[in-house]
Every structure is written in C-alpha cells, then in structure tokens.
Amino acid sequence: MGLRTIHLKIHKPGKLKREIIQKAFENYNNAFNYLLKTAFDNIDDIESNYKSPKGTYSTLSLSKWIDSRISNELNNFDVQPFKDSLKLDFGMTMASYFAQKQTKPDMVFPNFRQDNVQVNEKLRPIYFCRYDTKRSFCLLYDPDSNKYFAKLFLMNIKNAKVRKIAANNRELIYISKSPEPAKSLKRETFIIVPLSFGKWQEDMLSQAVERPEILRTARLLWKNNEYFLSMSINLPEEQEIKTTTFMGVSRGIRNDINYTIADEKGNSITKGSLENCKNTKDRKQIICKMANTIADIALKNKSMVILQNLVGKGDKLSWREEGTVHKPAYGCKMYNDLVRVLDYKLPQKGLPVPAKVSSVDIFHTCCVCGSNTRKNRFSETLFICTTCGASYSMDELGSRNLAVKLIKYEKTTFKLKARKTPEGMFLNNELIGLDMFVHKNENPYDRLKEEVKSLLDKKEDSYINSKLNYKDIKIILDKLVKSDFVNIEII
Amino acid sequence: MSLYIDVSYESINKYREELCGDKVEIIRSPDSVVVVLADGLGSGVKANILATLTSKIIGTIMSNGLDIEEAVNTVAKTLPVCKERGVAYSTFSIIQIFNNGEGYLAEFDNPSVVRLRKGKMLNLETESRVVNDKLIKEARFKVSPDDLFVMISDGVIHAGIGQTLNLGWQWDNVSEYIQKTYKKDASSKTLAKLLLSACDNLYSHEPGDDTTVVTLKAKKPVKLNLMIGPPVDSTRDDEIVSRFIGNEGKKVICGGTTSQIVARVLGKEIKTSIEYFNPAVPPTAEIEGINLTTEGVLTLRKTLDLLKACVSPESGMGDMLKLNKKDGASRLAKMLLEESTSIYFFVGRAMNPAHQNPEFPLNMGMKFKLVEELAALLTHTGKHISIEYC
C-alpha cells in the first residue's frame, strides 16, 4: 500500500491548549522565516557548496547548512522542540527550490517576511520529523473507550507547563513497541489532545496499535480556526489481486455515475448506476464516497477499472433539444477529481491503477456492431443503432463501451499495406515508418520479424519525423511481438 | 417507366405467443404488386386467424382489380365474431404499386405508412371514406425510383412502453429512425430487419405485442450476369464470353478456369489478390470490366449459406451485416440479394479436372445443385432469374 497520509482533527482543544498551539505556530513560522531570510543572503554559496557531484540537491545535505551558529540563533524563537524538524523542513524546501530552478531558471525564491509573522496570516504547518514518545510527537490510546490522543511536544523547558488535571483519570497507553501507560510530569513540554476521525482513519490507527513501526512523520495544520494532525503512515503493500473482469465507469446523463462489468470475453456480467451521497454537499466527500463505492464493487468482482480520459477531448454526452441543453451530472472537472481519487483508492485495495482511455465516441458507438455515428443517438437518454437496431440507455452504453475497450485494443490488428510485384512484395505501414520489400524467394514473416527487431533497436531520435511518437510506436511494435506476429491485417 | 418493387417483411410474435397476430400477404402479378398487412384483434391463434383471413381476402380481391369497398364488405361478412368482444375485427393497410409507377394506398386503423423519397419524408395525402361503418383512408400517388414505403403494425409504435421508453416509440420517432437509417443501396430486407431489430431491442426482447414491418422499395431494374464454369464445348468459349460481356448489367465470374477463359477472350490480365479476409473463403481476383471475380464452388457454397441465413425468418441484423464483409462470398451475396433485381446465370457444363479426384468432395452435380438452390432462393425473394446451361 505504501506511504499514506491520514488527517486527524484535534478535538475541541481548550483555551490554554489553543494558546500553546498558537504560540508554537508563531515560533515555528518565525524560525523558518529566519532560516529562509538567512539562506537568501547566502543563496549562491548554498547553491554551489551543497550540490552533489551528480548535480542534484538532497534534503539531508541542505539541512546541514544549518550549523551550530544558526542553530543557536534559532533558540531565540523558543523552537528547541522543533529544531531537527526545522532543519529537515528547510532542507526539503531548498531542495525543491533548486530542483525547480534547474528546469526553470527564473524560479522565484520561497517567500519570506522581513519582520515577524502575524498570527492571523496563513501559517506554515509545524513539521514533526519523527515518531517518538519522548520528543517530537506520538500517539496514545485509551483501550477502554477506544479513543486516540496525540502527544505533541510544542514547548521548550523554559515555557513548560504544569498540568492541573490528569486527563479524566483515564489511563492512556503509548502506541509504541513498548506500550506503557503515559505518566504525568511536574512540568510538561508537551500537550495531549484528543483526536476525532472517521472509520477509515480508525482502521489505520488500529493497525498502528498492532504495528507502531508504521507511524512516521506528521504536520500540525491550522485551517478554519481548527487544528489537524496530518500523519504519514507506511503501510505494507497489499497483496495484488489478479483481476478477472473489466469494470467500465462512465459519467451519465440521467444517473451520476454508471458502471458495467464485463468478463474477459467482453460479455456484460452486471451493470448499475451510482448516485451521489445525499447527506452532504461537500464535493470532496461526495467524490470520496463515490470512489469508495466503485472500489468496493471493483474489489468484489476482481475488476480492472477502466475510466474515461476527459483531459483534452470530451465525450459529447451533453444533449441539446428544443433549446435546452441537458448536461451530465458530473462535469469534466468533477469526473477528473473522481479519477484522481480512484487512482489511489484502487491500489489501496490491491487492485491495479485504473486505466484511462479515450472517451471519444463511447456514447455514439454501438457495442454490438461497432457502428460509430452521432445519428445513433436518438434522444437525451436513448441510443438506437442505425446499423443493427440495438438499443441502449445512453448511460449504460458509455460504461459498457469502456468495459470492453481494453479487450478491443488487444484484438486490434496491425495493418500492413501489401503490393505484389513479379519480383516480390512491398510491405508498408506509414504510422510506424515500416517500408520494406520481400523478395519472392524470402519468407515474408521472417523478414518482417527482422525488420521489426531493427525498428525496436532504433534510438528515439530516429523517430523524430514519424507520424507517431517513439512511445506509441514502441507500444505497437511490442504488441506485435507479443502476439507473435499473428495479429496482422493485410490491406 | 418500368419499376421493380423490392418487398420484404419481418414479424416478431408477442412474448410467449406461438403464432403471430399480424399477417402479410404479397401478391405479385405481371403489372403490379399488392401488399396487405393485417393486424388481427388480440393475439395468438384468434388474432392469427383474423389477420390471415383478412389479408388473404383483401389480397385476392385487390389483385383481381376489384374495389376496396368490395374487399371490406367481404371481410366484414366473412370474419368470425369474437365471443368476448362480439366484434369481428382486423386492422389493415394495403399498398398496390403498378409497374408504370402508379400507386394506391388504403388504411384502416393501422399506423400510417411511412413514405420516403431519396431518404426524405414525403407525406401521403389521404382522403377518408366510410365503407361498411369503417373509416378507410385512401391515397393515389405516383411512385418514383428510390421511393420507400414502410408499413407497420401498432406493435412497432408500442415498442418500449414502460420499459426503455415511457410512452413507447411514437410514429414520429419511427419515421425519424427510418430516415436516419436510410441508405440508398440498402435492400428492403435490410431495412425491415433493422427496424424490427430496433423494436425488439426496445421491447428488451420480450415484445408486448405482435410487431410487423413491411418495406417496399421502388427501384430501377438492375441486371446481373453470373458466369459459373467453362462451357462444355471449348469452341464456343468466344461466343459465350461475348454474350456474357454484351449483356446489360453487372458481371460476375465464379471459378478459376472460367475467369482465365474470360480474360483470354477479352485479352485482359487477371490480377490475383493476396488478401485473405476470411480463411474459409478463397481470395478474389480482378479483371478489367468485370465487377467481381471469385473462386468457384467453395465461394458459391459459402454465398448460398450467407443468403440462406439472411432470408431465414429467424435471421437477425447480424446476418445481414455479414454481407458487408470484404471476402468474395459476402460480396457476391450482397450483389445478388441487395444490388440486383434480375439475374442471368451462365452455367458451364465442362468437367473440372480438379473434380475428377475421388478425394475431392465436390462434383459436377453438386455445382448444378448449388446453382439451382441459389436460383430458388433468389426467386423466393422476388428476383427474376434466368439460367442458361452452356
């Protein structure tokens, strides 16, 4: 599954805790601002001295620019608990800046202020560079109430506080390899805050209780006057599921989203439509819930999901009738957002990354006879093929055509123009730049195999003047080789 | 002006009914063709009897030159009365087209006939009159080549009610679909099958009513000459080939030796194709001035199979679409079924040396049998067939 990020909300922190957090933000941002300002004054030295022999910049080496002198300077901002994090945060920022500068020489240096930051402005999240029960940050667990808490080290010794009341007398257990109960200290440089989260996050946290080593770094964010802990978790890879079916997922004109599941021969097994969650108007939530539903269906049917590629060319699903334009419920942007969510949700379930295929004509092509004309669309919702008479609802058709796209692609033939002469035969395919003559005494297949091999060995530069780019030509040639040259059509 | 009227009809029964309650009667006479579509009350056996009687009576009376009044009166007196409803009832549509281009239409309670000229809608101006308490709509009109008439039973406009469409397929939708699907070269068979296939799909393959489509396409006669096998007397090669070439219409040659003879007599080159569109059908060749040159018996057999599939009442649009393939058999089948109105067969009786091999499964008798089967099938579809054995 790899590295994941989960967002946990800090649940109703009290006034004192809010003040501590706010002060920590202020300190962290001022210290980071100071580092940027100082780095800007020494940018040429940093750029030349911290470049690797390969010409790249690493976070770790750039963080070493913060020597003991600068590190001592940072103490003025009361950021002792964050020093390691600040170094790495700075290193990441600079590495990113230098990397971008290499491709874009006029890249602007990261923004910083001449004076101290203001509390009411947008503040940089506080970075916690390690999971540790003694410093930086860690999580605590209350097994009785099944609640989770975060322990955040936000203060230096000088500003440490005395805790007045123990947290509701509950016993909190550290989520760590040695899960001991948390003890109160006389003066504490940390705060313990309860966390609120959804089912999915809870699943991650319960995994962390079993395997604390999966917990990595975190960032404390301030958004809309609320605090969130954005935490990185390194989950082991799910065992990849071998897909046996194809699931086409298209947007619809009547339904929000439609799906069709086809077997390996392209026969439709099941189909359906999905409606947006009605309990929320939050677009992100709607998309997430839709993606979860799709992922569950795909998992149940062991499906390779095939989605519309709505970047660039559209699918012409809108319909104009008597001056009214009927538009799909999912606009291109919303569908593309769904695609982005499915891009990571499906691999989380052990399914392959979804395929994105051209959606041109998926709503105008008959899935029985392949007739492709706009005349086939009869109304906003009805498709009747003008070649074979097959009829479908527009919504069903789109997903059905998507479901069989990969199967059809595998079946497409390699077209070879042949011209016979008394001496032999000319074979030609302009798309991949194949142009050859086979003498009548030679075996055309053997000669073709040799020619394709030489095309595959050619360097990318040799294809500059070709109709297709190198990548596409290689895909065609690889497919030809994979099929052992049987999918050839002479035209 | 002499017209050829290409007529076809297709029906589907109401779901779970053994018999169709719609009946079509086509009566061809030397000077006209009469087509009657009758839709019997209800469904099943009773509707089938009503529709059969109605179509037979009207067809016979009309083709004998009698008036619609006579036909309706006879039907009213003859039809058995339904016990449940106490009426004798069958709706009908009649089209009579004369070879000289005159047309007559009579309709009683059936959906109006759709008329297209060169693919565009052309309204039929009808007049109404009451015959035996029945309101009959009549029209007299002129028919031009490329006119298309589509008669439909009410099962067509009810297709999809409550299933894929809320209100079913309205007459306007049907006529729009016919206009969209119209192709100049498409045969009446293809058009009838296509519209019926659309209805069947809209019914989700469970028709709620008997559904029938009749298509009549007016065409200028198109002749096709088909030469199969070399003449038995090789000294007549030149004469036979000259007559074959001299005949009006398209030219098709079936057989390797035959095509060599034609090429030799005409002084033309045979260009063989290396394209195998279908491994089961030998590739074609090209001779200048000849529309299609194919291999002999194997191609003919495949052609016959394709035609049988298309003409069969059980066939679907998939069978018709096979005619659009590029192999020799599909191309020949399309030319015979869709692109010609009369076919002249030149059947050579010379023995093919290849057929002498006892292991070869085909013999001369089989070739003649193939030709006869082809001719019978094409006659059944309304083509004018002539066969000359040489």
Side-chain angles (χ1 to χ4, degrees):
Chain A
M1 206 177 261
L3 211 58
R4 310 286 310 282
T5 304
I6 60 169
H7 294 276
L8 310 165
K9 189 174 160 185
I10 294 178
H11 188 70
K12 294 179 182 171
K15 192 183 166 195
L16 182 64
K17 281 180 183 169
R18 290 185 81 91
E19 280 172 11
I20 293 169
I21 295 170
Q22 211 55 36
K23 188 68 191 165
F25 265 109
E26 204 178 313
N27 293 342
Y28 188 92
N29 276 265
N30 280 330
F32 194 81
N33 194 53
Y34 166 77
L35 287 175
L36 287 182
K37 205 159 51 177
T38 316
F40 183 72
D41 296 338
N42 301 281
I43 192 67
D44 294 336
D45 292 342
I46 299 171
E47 193 168 6
S48 55
N49 295 340
Y50 291 86
K51 195 177 191 176
S52 77
K54 286 181 183 174
T56 56
Y57 294 88
S58 82
T59 297
L60 209 61
S61 65
L62 282 163
S63 68
K64 284 176 184 162
W65 172 76
I66 302 170
D67 55 15
S68 55
R69 186 188 61 80
I70 300 173
S71 186
N72 284 335
E73 292 284 330
L74 288 177
N75 290 341
N76 296 333
F77 300 100
D78 288 345
V79 288
Q80 284 84 347
F82 311 126
K83 269 208 217 167
D84 287 350
S85 298
L86 271 166
K87 283 180 183 178
L88 285 170
D89 203 0
F90 170 80
M92 283 187 272
T93 307
M94 295 306 291
S96 164
Y97 164 67
F98 287 131
Q100 289 182 70
K101 200 179 169 192
Q102 280 176 340
T103 52
K104 199 178 163 190
D106 57 348
M107 180 71 198
V108 181
F109 187 80
N111 197 20
F112 62 86
R113 296 172 61 99
Q114 291 301 329
D115 50 355
N116 282 345
V117 296
Q118 302 295 313
V119 179
N120 55 0
E121 68 186 282
K122 195 179 172 188
L123 296 174
R124 184 179 185 82
I126 297 173
Y127 179 58
F128 298 100
C129 66
R130 65 169 67 85
Y131 183 87
D132 195 329
T133 57
K134 301 277 192 302
R135 53 184 173 162
S136 202
F137 91 107
C138 70
L139 297 182
L140 298 143
Y141 176 54
D142 177 4
D144 295 334
S145 62
N146 193 29
K147 285 184 176 165
Y148 293 84
F149 298 80
K151 181 180 178 184
L152 308 171
F153 288 83
L154 299 175
M155 294 165 284
N156 57 11
I157 300 289
K158 186 178 81 182
N159 297 319
K161 305 275 185 212
V162 179
R163 207 190 318 181
K164 288 175 184 167
I165 311 159
N168 298 333
N169 292 327
R170 63 172 109 223
E171 193 176 65
L172 301 178
I173 311 291
Y174 282 115
I175 299 178
S176 84
K177 280 184 181 170
S178 47
E180 320 166 323
K183 289 173 190 167
S184 298
L185 300 176
K186 280 184 182 174
R187 285 171 66 80
E188 294 178 346
T189 57
F190 57 84
I191 57 168
I192 293 174
V193 282
L195 299 169
S196 60
F197 39 80
K199 270 187 183 176
W200 184 74
Q201 286 95 335
E202 188 181 2
D203 177 51
M204 298 282 163
L205 291 170
S206 62
Q207 287 189 55
V209 173
E210 300 298 320
R211 292 174 292 176
E213 68 276 8
I214 66 172
L215 296 164
R216 295 295 164 94
T217 61
R219 282 183 192 273
L220 182 63
L221 299 102
W222 184 40
K223 196 178 168 188
N224 299 332
N225 215 23
E226 288 188 303
Y227 301 102
F228 298 87
L229 194 65
S230 173
M231 205 160 60
S232 288
I233 297 183
N234 190 16
L235 288 168
E237 292 291 327
E238 286 276 348
Q239 199 176 0
E240 200 171 297
I241 293 165
K242 191 178 181 300
T243 57
T244 53
T245 61
F246 297 93
M247 180 179 178
V249 179
S250 71
R251 58 185 189 151
I253 194 88
R254 182 172 282 174
N255 308 307
D256 293 332
I257 291 291
N258 301 281
Y259 68 90
T260 298
I261 294 172
D263 64 16
E264 284 170 318
K265 288 180 180 169
N267 302 316
S268 175
I269 301 169
T270 182
K271 62 188 177 185
S273 59
L274 304 170
E275 295 301 320
N276 282 339
C277 170
K278 305 286 180 205
N279 298 335
T280 178
K281 284 183 179 171
D282 184 338
R283 190 183 150 106
K284 271 187 184 171
Q285 262 194 31
I286 288 172
I287 288 171
C288 272
K289 282 188 187 289
M290 182 64 85
N292 284 337
T293 313
I294 293 167
D296 287 343
I297 297 169
L299 183 66
K300 188 180 156 197
N301 292 283
K302 293 186 178 174
S303 298
M304 166 80 203
V305 175
I306 304 158
L307 303 168
Q308 292 181 238
N309 182 0
L310 280 175
V311 181
K313 287 186 180 174
D315 55 11
K316 297 192 172 105
L317 181 55
S318 299
W319 177 256
R320 186 184 290 273
E321 196 172 29
E322 292 167 2
T324 311
V325 181
H326 303 271
K327 288 189 171 175
Y330 269 58
C332 288
K333 191 177 179 306
M334 191 150 170
Y335 185 85
N336 287 338
D337 286 346
L338 177 70
V339 171
R340 271 189 284 278
V341 176
L342 283 169
D343 264 344
Y344 68 82
K345 289 247 179 212
L346 292 166
Q348 279 171 18
K349 302 237 178 216
L351 291 165
V353 176
K356 271 81 79 181
V357 299
S358 166
S359 51
V360 174
D361 296 332
I362 61 165
F363 292 104
H364 298 100
T365 305
C366 175
C367 47
V368 174
C369 71
S371 155
N372 174 7
T373 163
R374 297 200 76 182
K375 283 198 294 184
N376 285 342
R377 189 165 181 184
F378 218 72
S379 70
E380 177 200 351
T381 54
L382 185 64
F383 172 98
I384 309 177
C385 178
T386 52
T387 304
C388 75
S391 71
Y392 292 93
S393 81
M394 288 300 293
D395 284 358
E396 183 194 341
L397 182 77
S399 61
R400 195 170 165 150
N401 274 330
L402 282 176
V404 297
K405 271 251 178 176
L406 295 185
I407 302 168
K408 277 188 178 173
Y409 173 74
E410 283 302 316
K411 284 183 184 168
T412 50
T413 52
F414 176 73
K415 292 183 174 56
L416 209 50
K417 263 188 198 170
R419 189 164 58 85
K420 213 173 174 186
T421 66
E423 289 77 35
M425 193 162 43
F426 286 99
L427 296 173
N428 164 272
N429 181 301
E430 284 180 14
L431 283 178
I432 63 158
L434 184 140
D435 198 1
M436 60 187 281
F437 177 76
V438 185
H439 193 268
K440 61 184 175 186
N441 295 332
E442 288 178 310
N443 182 330
Y445 270 100
D446 292 343
R447 280 279 292 111
L448 184 65
K449 282 178 185 174
E450 282 171 26
E451 190 68 22
V452 167
K453 192 177 175 303
S454 73
L455 284 172
L456 278 167
D457 291 341
K458 269 188 181 178
K459 286 187 178 169
E460 191 172 346
D461 309 347
S462 323
Y463 290 98
I464 289 171
N465 297 322
S466 300
K467 285 195 171 178
L468 294 180
N469 62 41
Y470 173 71
K471 197 179 149 195
D472 291 339
I473 291 173
K474 205 168 171 311
I475 289 170
I476 294 172
L477 293 175
D478 284 342
K479 194 179 152 197
L480 191 62
V481 173
K482 202 177 147 193
S483 72
D484 200 23
F485 294 79
V486 293
N487 61 338
I488 294 172
E489 188 185 342
I490 304 283
I491 54 168
Chain B
M1 181 179 59
S2 178
L3 285 175
Y4 172 82
I5 309 298
D6 179 18
V7 189
S8 285
Y9 72 92
E10 295 288 327
S11 293
I12 44 172
N13 300 359
K14 185 179 174 180
Y15 185 55
R16 289 183 176 156
E17 287 290 359
E18 290 286 327
L19 291 168
C20 187
D22 299 341
K23 190 74 186 171
V24 179
E25 194 66 26
I26 302 167
I27 300 159
R28 282 185 186 272
S29 62
D31 63 338
S32 77
V33 57
V34 177
V35 182
V36 185
L37 164 61
D39 180 354
L41 181 74
S43 61
V45 180
K46 188 169 63 186
N48 181 269
I49 292 168
L50 288 170
T52 307
L53 281 171
T54 306
S55 60
K56 285 277 180 199
I57 292 166
I58 295 175
T60 311
I61 289 173
M62 295 296 291
S63 60
N64 284 311
L66 295 174
D67 186 45
I68 182 74
E69 203 163 332
E70 189 72 30
V72 174
N73 283 331
T74 314
V75 167
K77 285 173 191 164
T78 319
L79 289 193
V81 175
C82 172
K83 272 185 186 173
E84 289 163 29
R85 298 174 179 92
V87 289
Y89 196 82
S90 175
T91 63
F92 59 81
S93 306
I94 308 159
I95 285 188
Q96 184 168 26
I97 299 175
F98 295 87
N99 291 353
N100 63 5
E102 282 182 5
Y104 169 75
L105 168 77
E107 289 172 339
F108 168 57
D109 257 14
N110 257 359
S112 301
V113 167
V114 179
R115 181 197 195 185
L116 264 63
R117 177 163 289 171
K118 292 184 177 171
K120 302 279 178 228
M121 272 294 290
L122 189 66
N123 282 334
L124 278 165
E125 298 285 334
T126 56
E127 285 180 2
S128 301
R129 67 166 158 145
V130 178
V131 180
N132 208 328
D133 293 338
K134 290 182 169 68
L135 186 71
I136 309 287
K137 286 194 277 182
E138 282 182 295
R140 292 193 185 275
F141 48 89
K142 277 279 176 195
V143 180
S144 301
D146 291 331
D147 271 7
L148 173 72
F149 298 86
V150 183
M151 299 161 88
I152 51 176
S153 66
D154 58 358
V156 171
I157 55 173
H158 293 157
I161 283 184
Q163 295 179 41
T164 43
L165 299 165
N166 289 337
L167 299 170
W169 224 18
Q170 303 299 304
W171 188 91
D172 287 341
N173 304 130
V174 176
S175 64
E176 188 190 338
Y177 183 72
I178 295 169
Q179 286 177 77
K180 277 186 172 185
T181 55
Y182 178 85
K183 287 187 186 86
K184 195 174 176 238
D185 302 332
S187 66
S188 61
K189 192 89 190 157
T190 306
L191 293 168
K193 274 197 192 299
L194 181 53
L195 182 54
L196 198 77
S197 169
C199 295
D200 194 26
N201 280 298
L202 288 170
Y203 274 126
S204 303
H205 308 289
E206 292 182 6
D209 197 357
D210 299 311
T211 308
T212 298
V213 177
V214 188
T215 48
L216 296 92
K217 197 169 183 188
K219 288 178 176 179
K220 282 182 185 167
V222 182
K223 291 177 181 171
L224 186 140
N225 299 281
L226 182 62
M227 191 167 181
I228 306 162
V232 67
D233 180 2
S234 59
T235 58
R236 289 184 64 208
D237 283 359
D238 287 15
E239 177 226 324
I240 303 286
V241 172
S242 300
R243 279 204 293 121
F244 171 70
I245 294 297
N247 270 5
E248 185 192 338
K250 293 180 179 177
K251 312 284 180 308
V252 177
I253 303 168
C254 292
T257 315
T258 319
S259 50
Q260 278 173 9
I261 291 169
V262 174
R264 176 174 50 78
V265 173
L266 296 177
K268 307 279 184 191
E269 188 193 348
I270 302 178
K271 290 178 190 166
T272 50
S273 167
I274 52 166
E275 296 167 84
Y276 271 84
F277 294 106
N278 179 351
V281 182
T284 56
E286 280 179 37
I287 302 174
E288 194 189 326
I290 305 297
N291 298 84
L292 179 65
T293 307
T294 73
E295 178 275 345
V297 179
L298 293 173
T299 305
L300 274 179
R301 164 157 291 194
K302 193 75 189 163
T303 304
L304 182 63
D305 291 344
L306 285 167
L307 290 175
K308 276 181 180 171
C310 289
V311 172
S312 156
E314 286 81 38
S315 66
M317 265 314 287
D319 296 302
M320 300 304 293
L321 292 174
K322 280 180 190 165
L323 301 186
N324 294 332
K325 291 185 176 175
K326 293 177 184 173
D327 62 86
S330 304
R331 285 171 66 191
L332 177 56
K334 191 177 174 71
M335 287 175 92
L336 292 172
L337 190 68
E338 301 207 321
E339 296 172 6
S340 54
T341 60
S342 62
I343 300 143
Y344 196 101
F345 286 89
F346 290 83
V347 184
R349 288 178 295 152
M351 193 63 78
N352 187 335
H355 298 172
Q356 300 301 310
N357 184 345
E359 287 178 14
F360 194 78
L362 302 164
N363 55 38
M364 184 62 88
M366 200 162 278
K367 186 172 85 175
F368 292 153
K369 197 164 173 277
L370 273 174
V371 172
E372 279 161 18
E373 275 193 67
L374 262 178
L377 198 76
L378 293 167
T379 306
H380 176 71
T381 61
K383 313 278 180 197
H384 303 299
I385 304 295
S386 310
I387 305 177
E388 178 187 331
Y389 291 96
C390 47

